[in-house]
Amino acid sequence: MNGKRRDIGEIPELGEIPEEMYASVIRPERFGEPREAFRTEVVPTPVAGRGEVLVMVMAAGINYNNVWAALGAPLDVIAARRRQGATEDYHIGGSEGSGVVWAVGEGASGVAVGDHVVLTGCQWDEHAQDIRLGADPMTSQSQKVWGYELNGGSFAQFTVVKDYQCLPKPPHLTWEEAACYLLTGATAYRQLCGWHPHVVNPGDPVLIWGGAGGLGSMAIQITRQRGGIPIAVVSSDDRADYCLKLGAEGVINRNDFDHWGRLPDIDDHEASAAWTKQARGFGKRIWEILGTRASPKIVLEHSGEATIPTSLLVCDTAGMVVICGGTSGYNGDVDLRHLWMRQKRLQGSHFANLQQCRDITTLVAAGSIDPCLSRVDSFEDIGESHQVLYENNQPPGNLAVLVNSPERGLVSLPG
């Protein structure tokens, strides 16, 4: 360590490590709406251990998982860690970011002090038995989300990550652009390209829920880049325009329908008929966009309870509904007849492995995928950034906050 803390945006000499740092912190006594839960505090600067890297954070992405952390629900991440032996009674979130490698721990490889990097959002035990036997690390029992299940994320001046979490920063991106694309982009990439044989091929229609959101904006571009035909579901005309400009073949406004939610009881014939009429009307919109009676080969889901019954109905025979969340609720009803009679697949998907993270980063670095950064806030506004997500008032695309980067677009640093 080399002395006391530096102010936010005050860049020390490369490799100089202050003893303390500023972090945006959640504590149990502040659980509630995000604007009240996050507070800037002074905490000890973490130290890189074996296989780890200390990164000076320049910017951080904003994602919904730390809305949950702020609320303390559906999981109290602080209490969960303390039950497992952790001593910290606070949470530092942030599951993606960009920055500069500031120190390298013993045994860490693939990075050097001064490297400009983007940070992936999951950690696992590389010596775990399931990984040693060939499991995808994302399916390992040891896998946890950094900056959510694990403490010490990117909402701080410095963070410690595993060496494999560091990927080369696309050179043409600003720090904030580099900080915002990896979580949503890699998640969408795994959903669309990671579940063989159900991957996007040229000409495949793909239905994308929440097309104007961070995940949806990445999915539209990935589908187009692979030759597929993206169809976006949105909630307003301005979001529809955004998706069309991004490359969607067409859009469906979900507010044109009112059948959302759990399925009616199968013995309630009147309610079932009303639900089916609405759901088939939704499917007809897909045919109108495509100009033929074709159905989505893949449905990219994350909303869950409100939409999963419709997704399974409109998905093509032998197609796949792939889901990475449940933003409208977790009790998703399934009419099993659609699964076995039409041989459809309902696939869970969670973030992405290293190869998938590298693949999306390569596409971004080549200019094939835009990060779709729509809003940048200051470090002091981290709580407000999450409040916007909580209230569903965010602009289309991805969100980021500046950490040590003192102004938008600054990329001139040692390394």
Side-chain angles (χ1 to χ4, degrees):
M1 296 294 181
N2 306 104
K4 290 292 184 180
R5 62 184 178 272
R6 298 295 189 101
D7 289 338
I8 295 285
E10 183 182 356
I11 309 299
E13 293 295 320
L14 183 63
E16 177 188 326
I17 305 171
E19 295 176 3
E20 297 176 331
M21 67 175 185
Y22 289 102
S24 190
V25 174
I26 296 169
R27 292 186 180 272
E29 58 267 28
R30 293 198 294 267
F31 280 160
E33 293 196 2
R35 65 164 56 100
E36 303 300 330
F38 288 91
R39 288 289 183 274
T40 300
E41 298 184 14
V42 175
V43 298
T45 302
V47 177
R50 183 168 183 81
E52 294 180 335
V53 176
L54 179 70
V55 175
M56 186 181 71
V57 181
M58 299 304 293
I62 300 294
N63 296 283
Y64 207 90
N65 61 355
N66 274 282
V67 172
W68 296 325
L71 295 171
L75 174 68
D76 180 340
V77 293
I78 299 170
R81 287 195 295 265
R82 288 177 69 85
R83 287 193 295 269
Q84 297 170 3
T87 58
E88 300 99 340
D89 59 353
Y90 60 86
H91 173 71
I92 300 173
S95 296
E96 64 179 332
S98 61
V100 181
V101 174
W102 219 247
V104 176
E106 181 184 358
S109 62
V111 291
V113 172
D115 285 353
H116 293 189
V117 294
V118 292
L119 305 175
T120 71
C122 276
Q123 293 183 7
W124 49 80
D125 179 2
E126 292 186 292
H127 299 289
Q129 189 69 6
D130 50 6
I131 292 177
R132 287 185 171 188
L133 292 174
D136 182 330
M138 285 307 301
T139 68
S140 173
Q141 293 295 320
S142 67
Q143 177 269 127
K144 294 183 184 299
V145 178
W146 166 72
Y148 179 62
E149 293 167 291
L150 298 172
N151 204 2
S154 56
F155 298 154
Q157 286 178 291
F158 293 90
T159 186
V160 165
V161 296
K162 300 294 185 182
D163 56 3
Y164 56 76
Q165 288 181 260
C166 297
L167 300 177
K169 173 186 170 291
H172 70 285
L173 297 185
T174 64
W175 290 114
E176 57 270 26
E177 288 171 330
C180 78
Y181 76 86
L182 190 50
L183 193 148
T184 55
T187 298
Y189 189 88
R190 182 179 179 89
Q191 286 184 273
L192 295 170
C193 308
W195 301 105
H196 293 270
H198 294 90
V199 298
V200 181
N201 289 309
D204 285 348
V206 177
L207 183 68
I208 299 166
W209 291 96
L215 185 74
S217 62
M218 297 291 103
I220 289 171
Q221 294 181 86
I222 294 165
T223 300
R224 272 297 183 199
Q225 195 272 337
R226 292 180 62 88
I229 306 171
I231 302 165
V233 186
V234 298
S235 59
S236 66
D237 290 341
D238 60 328
R239 290 175 180 266
D241 291 341
Y242 174 86
C243 293
L244 291 170
K245 291 175 182 176
L246 203 55
E249 185 75 10
V251 293
I252 303 173
N253 190 327
R254 60 179 170 82
N255 291 320
D256 292 342
F257 303 88
D258 60 9
H259 67 296
W260 310 118
R262 303 186 69 178
L263 286 170
D265 190 285
I266 197 169
D267 294 325
D268 187 338
H269 300 296
E270 182 177 350
S272 292
W275 184 91
T276 300
K277 181 178 180 181
Q278 284 272 309
R280 286 179 174 167
F282 181 88
K284 186 178 178 181
R285 293 281 181 91
I286 297 173
W287 296 349
E288 291 169 353
I289 290 168
L290 296 173
T292 183
R293 292 169 68 94
S295 299
K297 298 290 186 182
I298 297 175
V299 179
L300 189 140
E301 260 275 6
H302 60 84
S303 43
E305 185 172 311
T307 57
I308 198 72
T310 300
S311 292
L312 281 164
L313 177 70
V314 302
C315 181
D316 198 13
T317 298
M320 176 180 71
V321 177
V322 57
I323 187 165
C324 68
T327 53
S328 66
Y330 307 121
N331 293 311
D333 288 350
V334 175
D335 187 331
L336 293 175
R337 294 170 296 181
H338 299 317
L339 286 179
W340 90 70
M341 294 295 289
R342 297 297 182 183
Q343 302 173 72
K344 302 181 184 185
R345 178 179 181 180
L346 177 57
Q347 176 67 55
S349 190
H350 183 49
F351 190 50
N353 61 34
L354 291 183
Q355 183 62 61
Q356 291 156 347
C357 289
R358 284 199 174 268
D359 287 348
I360 191 67
T361 295
T362 298
L363 290 171
V364 171
S368 300
I369 302 291
D370 188 280
C372 292
L373 176 63
S374 60
R375 172 171 170 153
V376 182
D377 288 321
S378 70
F379 186 79
E380 292 295 330
D381 291 327
I382 286 176
E384 196 62 38
S385 298
H386 287 85
Q387 187 74 24
V388 168
L389 283 184
Y390 176 60
E391 295 175 353
N392 197 30
N393 289 326
Q394 72 275 17
N398 289 305
L399 284 63
V401 294
L402 302 176
V403 183
N404 280 305
S405 180
E407 60 184 71
R408 298 179 187 183
L410 180 70
V411 295
S412 173
L413 273 179

